[in-house]
Amino acid sequence: MSIDWPTLLPLVFAGLMGVAILLYVILDGFDLGIGILFAAADTDDKDTMIASIGPFWDANETWLVLAVGLLLVAFPIAHGVILTALYLPVFLLLVGLILRGVAFDFRAKVPIHRKHRWDRMFFIGSLLAALAQGYMLGIYVLGLQQGIAAMLFAALVALCLAAAYAAMGSAWLIYKAEGDLQQKAVFWLRRTLVFTAAGMAAVSAATPLASPRIFEKWFTLPEIVWLAPLPIAALGLFLWLWRMCVHLPGHEDEHSLKPFIVLSAIFALGFGGLAYSFYPYVVPDRMTIWEAAAATESLAVILIGTAFVLPIILGYTVYAYRVFGGKAGDLTYD
Amino acid sequence: MDPLLLSRIQFAANISFHILFPAITISLGWVLLYFKLQYNRTGEHAWMRAYFTFVKVFALSFALGVVSGVTMSFQFGTNWPGFMEKVGNIAGPLLAYEVLTAFFLEAVFLGIMLFGFRRVSNRVHTLATFLVAFGTTMSAFWILALNSWMHTPAGFEMRDGVAYPTSWFEIVFNPSFPWRLVHMLLASGLTAAFLVAGFSALRYVLGDRSASMWKALKTGVALGAILIPLQIFAGDQHGLNTLEHQPAKVAAMEANWETRGNVPLVLFAIPDEEARENRFEIAVPNVASIILKHSPSGVVPGLNDFEGEHPPVAPVFYAFRIMVGVGIAMLVISWVAAFYLFRRKVLPNWVAYSLVPMGLSGWVAVLAGWYVTEIGRQPWLVTGVLRTGEAVGPVTGGQVALSLAGYLALYAVLLFVYLGVLVYMAVKASKEGDEEPDPAVKDRPLDQPVEAEA
């Protein structure tokens, strides 16, 4: 492999796309999780829960637009192959995102007696979007197979991803909420954590079994030695987080951000494992990132813009999180 | 079930639904900035009140625009993979720049604009309002660059059936881009102007005589009255540009079947594509030649030059007449309303009542205009490069039928609810007038006018 632009650029864009997906999963993960937790929340809690994500959800969802946008612009052929294979789950994902996005806004503007209707839409939309994403992940992990076994596996991943998002939502609430709601969030986190772990285990087991190539990438010497820390670290973080739940919420709200950070780290580890498994393919075992890439001159033009703009985006995203820092109860809409 | 036809209907439904909301937000953002700057200048809280009323309209429209826009971006892959495979090298960077320069900017600062009034300084809040308005406009810039390129492609070469860029300047500033951008931005300005005017007129009709109602009403009417003559001029120029680059489209707009001189302006007709003639035609002699060629005997290309290669005539022909008709209604009503409001300093009831339904006139004109330009492009997706039929993906008709039914039902419900909530917000605003709500009430989003921070 020689180091020249046609080799390097698709690699850079695969990396950027990976970062965008990971940021999306973490950031919109807690938004979607809040929506899923609506099922278990009291009416009084819901306004606080919404307030905890109000200023952020739109920007969070934009990472999905960027990730799909990068797939679209950097790997146009793969984009078509993947999205046509996942036609119906993509449709359900979009319906979920639409319902959730509008319910969020409508619930604050409709007459008060119609509010609960939009709360239910917010829950349904969030759950649908999470399930659809999990289903798509499941099918993708199996190399875009269609069939009963693949569908059942994908359905399992769908449930676990929804639980994982709910865990993210709980962790976010532990950080943003106080008192009773915070207590509940700790309880929710413990329940959803179990399914999160099960889902990650299922995906970790299925991925190498579905593809001999991936099996070989993991289970040969010396790879297995330097890859072993990845699952061990994930397991360790899970146990640490599980134990942490017993002591939360801490004295004077100590450690309230920790569960969110630990959970994000777990997501990042799982994501890193997947990325390692699939590299260098963008369509599993069928199309490499170089086969799917757009023209070098087009990628170069996008990269120039990205190099300037991405730091700025990250900068003002951090700024927005700081402006709306602190407990969600403090958030007023004026 | 034909996946191509269904995919086309689905794309048309998606884009039609989507365009409604950017058409509002692109310009409503600038109107909000105007309210904010007036408040900063005068300190009158009625301006801030107007801001808070319409920032809610903005938030709602923006949310619908975002969710339908995300749907649009997925459509390329799910239904039209051939598009990106063939021209992805050109479309890709333009779409990427939209996301990078516009999408994130507006998404992040929207939070500060909507919820940050007490959290940041007045100056930062004004800046956030500006950045959101600027971001939506940048969005329009990139999307229209791509759309115009599909109409009048330039700055590329074909290698092995795939388009490669040769000049980004020529790609972005392709021949139809400048007029298309101006035409769309003015259309958005008019949509927002009439929405603000119609919303405020509804409050007036409901008995609201508050200062914030008057300020918003005057702003909307003045903006509409100023922009509509500009739009008529820009539309005419855009038409001449289309005649130069896409003559088949203009021939369909005019239902002009034969290339000839002394072409009449067809006011009404039923174009018959089978017989290739117009039935029940009412026309003014020579006027089309005068408009298009600035001479009564000017030869205008007819549809006979493009047989088998021209767009379906009837929808383009009708849509064009609807757009022009709405434009004329906008001209008359905004000028009459401006005359009464600014000269006579009164608002007769009949003027208020006619402004209310005109609140959505921008939508009708924008949709009609888009149908003229987009149906008028057929059978090409990218003129001379890619036919619409070549871009469709391997999805089955059944799948598309299912998703299409889902989208249509969802869009119908959302449109209904959106309009319902607009009316509800107008009713609520008309009851509240300029009254200052109890500052202790925190659960009413964006209602409370507050003093600016130092």
Side-chain angles (χ1 to χ4, degrees), chain A residues 106-118:
Chain A
F106 277 132
R107 76 185 288 283
K109 295 182 179 67
V110 295
I112 203 86
H113 64 275
R114 299 233 177 92
K115 197 169 164 183
H116 70 275
R117 197 181 287 179
W118 289 105

Side-chain angles (χ1 to χ4, degrees), chain A residues 58 62 68 72-73 79 84 87 91 94 102 109 111 294-295 297-298 301 305 309 316 319 323 325 332-334, chain B residues 10 62 64 77 79 84 89 92 97 100 104-105 114-115 117-119 124 159 164 168 403 407 424 442 446:
Chain A
D58 194 17
T62 305
V68 174
L72 176 77
V73 303
H79 175 259
T84 49
Y87 189 85
F91 166 67
L94 292 171
V102 299
K109 295 182 179 67
E297 46 268 58
S298 297
V301 160
V309 175
Y316 61 57
Y319 172 73
V323 166
T332 56
Y333 288 81
D334 52 4
Chain B
Q10 178 166 302
F62 193 89
L64 280 158
N79 295 79
M84 289 307 284
N89 290 330
Y97 271 86
L100 287 171
F104 272 102
L105 196 66
L114 294 181
F115 305 109
F117 193 66
R118 281 185 194 277
R119 296 228 163 199
V124 170
R159 274 187 259 148
Y164 285 82
W168 285 106
S403 62
Y407 284 127
Y424 173 74
K442 294 287 191 201
L446 295 169

Side-chain angles (χ1 to χ4, degrees), chain A residues 280-328:
Chain A
Y281 289 93
V282 60
V283 182
D285 292 353
R286 261 195 272 169
M287 197 185 288
T288 66
I289 54 178
W290 293 281
E291 288 163 353
T296 306
E297 46 268 58
S298 297
L299 291 180
V301 160
I302 305 173
L303 188 63
I304 296 167
T306 311
F308 278 103
V309 175
L310 205 58
I312 300 174
I313 292 174
L314 289 171
Y316 61 57
T317 304
V318 170
Y319 172 73
Y321 273 86
R322 283 186 49 174
V323 166
F324 296 102
K327 292 294 177 187

Side-chain angles (χ1 to χ4, degrees), chain A residues 26-299:
Chain A
I26 291 173
L27 295 176
D28 211 31
F30 74 74
D31 292 345
L32 289 166
I34 295 281
I36 295 168
L37 292 173
F38 256 43
D42 295 339
T43 315
D44 297 344
D45 297 333
K46 286 176 182 166
D47 285 339
T48 316
M49 289 164 76
I50 287 280
S52 77
I53 57 172
F56 313 116
W57 79 270
D58 194 17
N60 291 345
E61 196 167 295
T62 305
W63 291 102
L64 176 68
V65 178
L66 183 67
V68 174
L70 283 174
L71 179 63
L72 176 77
V73 303
F75 308 104
I77 306 171
H79 175 259
V81 173
I82 294 171
L83 291 191
T84 49
L86 298 172
Y87 189 85
L88 288 179
V90 166
F91 166 67
L92 293 175
L93 166 67
L94 292 171
V95 170
L97 291 179
I98 291 173
L99 281 180
R100 181 183 70 121
V102 299
F104 189 92
D105 226 280
F106 277 132
R107 76 185 288 283
K109 295 182 179 67
V110 295
I112 203 86
H113 64 275
R114 299 233 177 92
K115 197 169 164 183
H116 70 275
R117 197 181 287 179
W118 289 105
D119 284 345
R120 202 178 316 143
M121 286 296 148
F122 187 64
F123 163 69
I124 293 172
S126 303
L127 182 64
L128 191 59
L131 290 174
Q133 285 177 19
Y135 188 87
M136 287 158 69
L137 174 66
I139 295 285
Y140 181 85
V141 160
L142 299 182
L144 302 177
Q145 282 178 40
Q146 316 281 356
I148 294 295
M151 284 166 75
L152 284 175
F153 172 75
L156 174 72
V157 178
L159 284 175
C160 294
L161 188 69
Y165 282 168
M168 290 296 283
S170 311
W172 183 249
L173 275 182
I174 293 173
Y175 172 54
K176 293 296 271 188
E178 294 166 295
D180 191 34
L181 182 57
Q182 196 182 30
Q183 300 269 5
K184 274 188 218 168
V186 175
F187 173 77
W188 291 333
L189 178 60
R190 279 182 76 107
R191 289 291 162 282
T192 48
L193 212 49
V194 180
F195 291 96
T196 310
M200 278 185 77
V203 172
S204 305
T207 314
L209 291 179
S211 159
R213 184 189 62 82
I214 294 175
F215 190 90
E216 206 159 297
K217 275 185 91 169
W218 282 85
F219 300 105
T220 41
L221 281 167
E223 280 82 357
I224 194 164
V225 177
W226 61 263
L227 284 169
L230 205 76
I232 292 170
L235 189 66
L237 287 176
F238 263 121
L239 292 174
W240 186 34
L241 187 57
W242 181 256
R243 270 186 51 102
M244 201 189 297
C245 286
V246 181
H247 307 292
L248 280 170
H251 179 62
E252 302 260 312
D253 211 41
E254 253 184 319
H255 313 304
S256 71
L257 187 55
K258 251 189 201 166
F260 184 75
I261 291 172
V262 172
L263 207 50
S264 301
I266 292 175
F267 268 57
L269 285 172
F271 190 80
L274 278 180
Y276 171 76
S277 297
F278 289 113
Y279 176 83
Y281 289 93
V282 60
V283 182
D285 292 353
R286 261 195 272 169
M287 197 185 288
T288 66
I289 54 178
W290 293 281
E291 288 163 353
T296 306
E297 46 268 58
S298 297
L299 291 180

Side-chain angles (χ1 to χ4, degrees), chain B residues 6 13-14 22 24 96 173 175 195 209 222 229 270 279 287 306 345 392 408 427 445:
Chain B
L6 291 170
N14 273 318
I24 292 172
F173 296 96
L195 183 72
R209 299 289 182 272
I270 298 178
R279 291 187 282 140
V287 173
F306 314 98
K345 314 273 183 200
V392 76
L408 288 179
V427 172

